[in-house]
Amino acid sequence: MEASSKFIARTALAGWLGELSARFRVWAPRREGRAVLYRPFDPQAPEDNLPELDKKPTESAKHIIFPRSEPLINFRRKRDPEHPGQFLLDLRVPEAPGPSLIFGLPPCDARGFMVFDPVYNGSGTDGQARDIYYLRRRAAALLIVRSCSRTLSTCFCNWVGGAPDSAEGADILASEAEDGFLLEPVSSEGAAALDSGLLVPADENRLKAAQAARDEAKKTLKPAPDISGAGKALLERFEDAAFWKGEAAHCLSCGICTFLCPTCYCFNVTDETAGANGVRLRSWDACMTPLFTLEASGHNPRQDKAARLKNRIGHKFSYYPELHEARFACVGCGRCIKSCPSGVDIRRIVTDSVGLTQSPKPKAAPRNIPGGKE
Amino acid sequence: MPELALKPAFNPSTPNPYLPQVATVLEVIQETHNIRSFRVRLDDEQAWASFSFEPGQLGQLSLFGVGEATFVINSPPTCKAYLQFSVMRAGEVTTALHGLQAGDKIGLRAPLGNSFPYNDLKGKNVIFIGGGIGMAPMRTLLLYMLDNRRDYGDISLLYGARTPQDLSFAYDRADWLGREDMRTVLTIDAPAEGWEHKVGLIPNVLTEMAPSPENAVAVTCGPPIMIKFTLQALGKLGFKPEQILTTLEKRMKCGIGICGRCNIGEKYVCIDGPVFTYAQLQTMVNEL
Ligand SMILES: Cc1cc2nc3c(=O)[nH]c(=O)nc-3n(C[C@H](O)[C@H](O)[C@H](O)COP(=O)(O)OP(=O)(O)OC[C@H]3O[C@@H](n4cnc5c(N)ncnc54)[C@H](O)[C@@H]3O)c2cc1C
Ligand code: SF4
Ligand code: SF4
Ligand code: FES
């Protein structure tokens, strides 16, 4: 594959993304105020929306393949001409969207989709029931991952099988190389996308420069602790109410961690209507909120926030790996740590559970915050 | 780590598991003040002719504009005329379902979930213990066994509710009480005028009935508090956890193991259940 690696100058980037826009709906991270968000790339004004590649995106890329809210079925009630007073149902499934391309996502975001994949491809029903909405977007999407030249203090991809230059799940791996990017094809579709007059073959110097930058980035991550025993340790901790109460003491049940997470894949289904027309929507949901499991009888198997946090961590480090070849359902992107308003740190909970660390007993939960007390 | 996996392929002819089939309500039966049964049939003749399910499996009933909710198909697979769902009014969807009349259209996604191990029950004595709406999931298995009576040993039923008016399936009960090939005990919580059957809580009546655990399996469904004490009573009678079957409920959405709503540890009620043995429950995380 090395032979077909290409180089693109920074100055040519917008032009190339413009070219790709003819075949794909192109998405790239863009700076908006203090946040970096994935936005559609506008080929009409390419220079005005150059991708932000230095700062890590605040949100994950999952909404491009798994929208925050998407119509599953459009429905319409029609009067039955043969039986007055009765209605017929007309159900329509929205057309598949065209192919998309995500440029500049960090390796952890690409690996996040790999956590979705088996579940949405019907692993639970031996392939009997597959999520066509996810799959049709996923199969048609091209991922151009950019390796990280810098890491954040919250990054811990190396704990969970990732790396700042991991190509897992990518179609093309882009790495900073001086005045531009080295582009290495990972899949055949990725190789095809590198067929452009704006790209030049990568020379030895740039290959070396890119490799050096990647090695440098790797060194900035602290060594990973051994958390291979987390699955078992978390199960053993299941009944340890004091442990979970302590870990969850400051959690506000706001759900930010789940919405920003590239691997949190739970959803809700709701209907909306206007007159005789309506739509059945599927929308992101968060297991951190009490409504998630509330049953019609009033019974709630996860009544308190400790039980909910326990499920979130348990799912990622114990239940999911148990079902999916020991792969953790966390890619170590650190967003849930960085954006949690009350400092809940998933790394700490995992190392506490395996006994590598022992978090001090938390002080009383902060007052005057809704949900801060329970 | 598993090796670098490729992204999943998408075959455009993959069936859409979220798209309900359109069905027509054939008949509505008022069972109790808050339970109604609906007999429904798929509109598509071909789909209906090839429809099959196993006792214990679920259906998602859809009212477009309101939502979907999960119910056990409580008619037996041997009934080819309709599928029956018994719906207790509990919230939004169930209340809207109660407004349906014969001729109305609904959406149906079925069958979903696992089923009662009716083949493993062959040759065994089976005791059914149901409380309230919990009779619904057991009805399908009981009727199936009665339709294949010779395959099974003794069949007993203990069915209880708060008051006589809270007992469903009047049309079955007359038959069950009259049959020589099964033992039927009905019970209510407190004495009521004209009541000729037992009075007392289900676990207590069960203890009195004292079914033998020898070559037997107990099937029990009902509200959590009843299940809790029934399990204790069965334990005292000598039933081992492997000999007890029950069904679980969770707030469900997709019904196909994807939406992540119904998990108990790594088990999903919608695909690994709703039927579990008590022995299985004991190996699961304690989060019912
Ligand atoms: C495996 C299984 C089998 C069931 N079988 C039957 C049956 O045969 N007869 C019967 O009357 N009821 C049954 N239920 C319970 C029934 O699904 C709920 O009562 C119903 O979903 C409540 O919906 P609602 O919109 O009226 O209530 P609301 O409180 O308005 O609920 C809103 C939403 O919450 C969800 N929800 C709330 N409570 C439950 C719950 N206990 N279980 C699942 N989802 C819930 C539903 O998705 C619903 O759309 C079963 C539940 C499960 C999980
Ligand atoms: S852990 Fe933090 S981000 Fe997640 S729900 Fe609790 S307070 Fe919100
Ligand atoms: S759990 Fe936190 S660190 Fe792990 S993938 Fe999700 S947001 Fe990133
Ligand atoms: S109902 Fe969606 S996973 Fe079980």
Side-chain angles (χ1 to χ4, degrees):
Chain A
M1 280 285 179
E2 201 91 327
S4 50
S5 290
K6 297 278 179 79
F7 173 81
I8 185 158
R10 264 178 208 276
T11 47
L13 190 56
W16 183 46
L17 294 181
E19 246 180 51
L20 290 168
S21 297
R23 286 198 285 140
F24 298 96
R25 177 154 204 228
V26 175
W27 296 76
R30 198 162 72 200
R31 201 172 194 131
E32 289 192 3
R34 289 173 59 203
V36 177
L37 305 169
Y38 290 92
R39 293 292 193 220
F41 176 81
D42 179 2
Q44 304 307 320
E47 298 301 331
D48 296 343
N49 56 122
L50 279 178
E52 165 64 67
L53 296 170
D54 293 330
K55 247 186 127 217
K56 182 169 187 163
T58 316
E59 60 176 3
S60 85
K62 76 176 169 188
H63 65 85
I64 300 166
I65 309 294
F66 179 61
R68 293 181 181 83
S69 196
E70 81 176 300
L72 295 179
I73 301 163
N74 293 308
F75 54 86
R76 191 180 167 69
R77 293 203 312 155
K78 292 185 301 199
R79 282 194 186 282
D80 183 347
E82 284 168 37
H83 302 92
Q86 291 189 351
F87 290 90
L88 294 175
L89 269 177
D90 178 32
L91 307 179
R92 290 201 185 164
V93 175
E95 294 287 316
S100 49
L101 180 153
I102 314 177
F103 178 82
L105 68 170
C108 48
D109 276 5
R111 295 185 76 236
F113 291 120
M114 302 187 68
V115 173
F116 272 68
D117 288 345
V119 177
Y120 280 70
N121 203 15
S123 64
T125 54
D126 296 324
Q128 292 297 302
R130 302 174 197 261
D131 194 299
I132 64 155
Y133 302 86
Y134 174 84
L135 290 176
R136 65 193 191 181
R137 277 203 183 80
R138 172 77 168 118
L142 199 86
L143 306 188
I144 304 185
V145 167
R146 64 121 182 90
S147 67
C148 302
S149 314
R150 276 161 292 280
T151 60
L152 303 176
S153 62
T154 43
C155 290
F156 64 106
C157 55
N158 56 333
W159 294 30
V160 287
D165 61 348
S166 169
E168 207 186 5
D171 292 293
I172 295 173
L173 183 68
S175 312
E176 259 188 295
E178 297 167 343
D179 51 342
F181 294 90
L182 173 72
L183 301 169
E184 295 166 88
V186 183
S187 71
S188 52
E189 291 151 70
L194 290 180
D195 184 17
S196 159
L198 294 170
L199 313 182
V200 297
D203 60 61
E204 198 59 30
N205 285 346
R206 286 185 173 119
L207 279 171
K208 274 196 191 135
Q211 192 54 51
R214 291 181 345 196
D215 290 345
E216 226 19 70
K218 270 196 235 180
K219 280 191 230 148
T220 63
L221 285 179
K222 289 207 197 89
D226 177 10
I227 57 161
S228 54
K232 200 163 156 274
L234 286 163
L235 284 182
E236 281 163 7
R237 291 267 187 197
F238 195 90
E239 305 280 351
D240 187 348
F243 175 82
W244 289 106
K245 221 173 158 168
E247 299 293 349
H250 298 295
C251 173
L252 312 175
S253 302
C254 65
I256 287 175
C257 49
T258 57
F259 294 128
L260 292 178
C261 177
T263 68
C264 275
Y265 60 70
C266 294
F267 64 82
N268 193 7
V269 179
T270 51
D271 286 5
E272 282 180 15
T273 45
N277 295 313
V279 57
R280 175 157 293 169
L281 293 170
R282 126 273 307 269
S283 313
W284 291 2
D285 207 346
C287 63
M288 300 298 274
T289 73
L291 282 179
F292 192 75
T293 46
L294 180 64
E295 294 166 19
S297 61
H299 174 65
N300 191 344
R302 293 186 208 123
Q303 186 89 42
D304 55 55
K305 61 187 185 182
R308 298 192 290 271
L309 183 68
K310 176 168 72 179
N311 183 66
R312 182 164 191 271
I313 313 294
H315 179 245
K316 293 193 182 300
F317 289 91
S318 176
Y319 317 149
Y320 184 100
E322 178 69 32
L323 296 173
H324 302 284
E325 301 171 344
R327 177 181 274 274
F328 290 125
C330 165
V331 292
C333 75
R335 289 192 181 94
C336 60
I337 307 166
K338 196 159 189 282
S339 296
C340 174
S342 62
V344 175
D345 188 331
I346 193 167
R347 293 170 299 191
R348 193 71 194 198
I349 303 173
V350 173
T351 53
D352 281 355
S353 77
V354 291
L356 290 172
T357 51
Q358 198 179 7
S359 281
K361 282 250 154 58
K363 298 179 219 84
R367 283 174 183 276
N368 305 326
I369 299 176
K373 285 196 296 176
E374 200 144 82
Chain B
M1 280 317 289
E3 53 185 83
L4 236 138
L6 294 171
K7 66 183 166 193
F10 173 61
N11 176 349
S13 64
T14 308
N16 183 348
Y18 300 106
L19 184 65
Q21 292 182 279
V22 176
T24 301
V25 177
L26 304 176
E27 191 183 349
V28 181
I29 302 163
Q30 182 85 39
E31 302 279 2
T32 72
H33 75 282
N34 64 353
I35 300 175
R36 280 186 191 177
S37 291
F38 300 89
R39 294 183 168 170
V40 311
R41 187 181 190 280
L42 296 178
D43 284 8
D44 186 299
E45 288 301 334
Q46 219 176 332
W48 179 243
S50 61
F51 187 90
S52 69
F53 73 100
E54 312 221 307
Q57 286 195 288
L58 306 166
Q60 288 269 16
L61 291 184
S62 248
L63 267 180
F64 286 92
V66 187
E68 273 188 319
T70 317
F71 306 93
V72 177
I73 306 172
N74 72 56
S75 46
T78 32
C79 165
K80 299 293 178 196
Y82 56 82
L83 300 174
Q84 177 166 308
F85 296 92
S86 299
V87 177
M88 187 167 86
R89 207 180 331 110
E92 238 182 295
V93 177
T94 48
T95 301
L97 284 170
H98 273 224
L100 289 176
Q101 295 170 352
D104 285 344
K105 302 285 178 199
I106 56 164
L108 174 65
R109 292 197 291 135
L112 302 168
N114 74 352
S115 54
F116 286 108
Y118 56 94
N119 281 324
D120 302 344
L121 295 180
K122 285 189 178 151
K124 297 234 156 81
N125 303 325
V126 181
I127 167 149
F128 290 90
I129 309 148
I133 187 71
M135 190 60 224
M138 301 194 319
R139 179 180 185 260
T140 170
L141 178 62
L142 173 58
L143 293 183
Y144 176 84
M145 287 172 54
L146 292 175
D147 284 341
N148 297 276
R149 187 64 192 86
R150 268 190 250 155
D151 291 345
Y152 299 92
D154 295 343
I155 298 179
S156 353
L157 166 68
L158 167 58
Y159 174 26
R162 228 167 276 154
T163 72
Q165 292 74 35
D166 289 312
L167 289 165
S168 296
F169 313 120
Y171 40 93
D172 293 327
R173 273 187 272 135
D175 176 46
W176 295 340
L177 285 164
R179 285 182 86 116
E180 308 254 293
D181 59 357
M182 77 179 272
R183 177 180 178 204
T184 302
V185 177
L186 303 177
T187 183
I188 54 171
D189 287 2
E193 257 202 51
W195 179 252
E196 298 165 350
H197 307 276
K198 291 269 178 206
V199 174
L201 297 176
I202 290 168
N204 301 341
V205 179
L206 174 67
T207 306
E208 219 177 279
M209 283 170 75
S212 161
E214 196 67 36
N215 189 37
V217 168
V219 184
T220 181
C221 301
I225 187 78
M226 174 212 124
I227 297 288
K228 185 176 165 192
F229 289 107
T230 299
L231 290 175
Q232 285 177 9
L234 285 169
K236 283 204 190 113
L237 290 167
F239 280 79
K240 298 208 178 61
E242 312 71 77
Q243 290 174 279
I244 305 173
L245 290 165
T246 188
T247 60
L248 291 185
E249 267 188 35
K250 281 274 153 185
R251 181 166 180 159
M252 284 174 35
K253 281 291 169 184
C254 71
I256 52 175
I258 298 181
C259 77
R261 240 166 214 277
C262 68
N263 77 304
I264 304 170
E266 89 274 6
K267 295 281 185 230
Y268 289 83
V269 172
C270 67
I271 49 177
D272 299 314
V275 179
F276 293 93
T277 64
Y278 184 36
Q280 283 174 309
L281 295 192
Q282 287 176 328
T283 66
M284 282 150 64
V285 302
N286 183 9
E287 198 174 67
L288 299 184

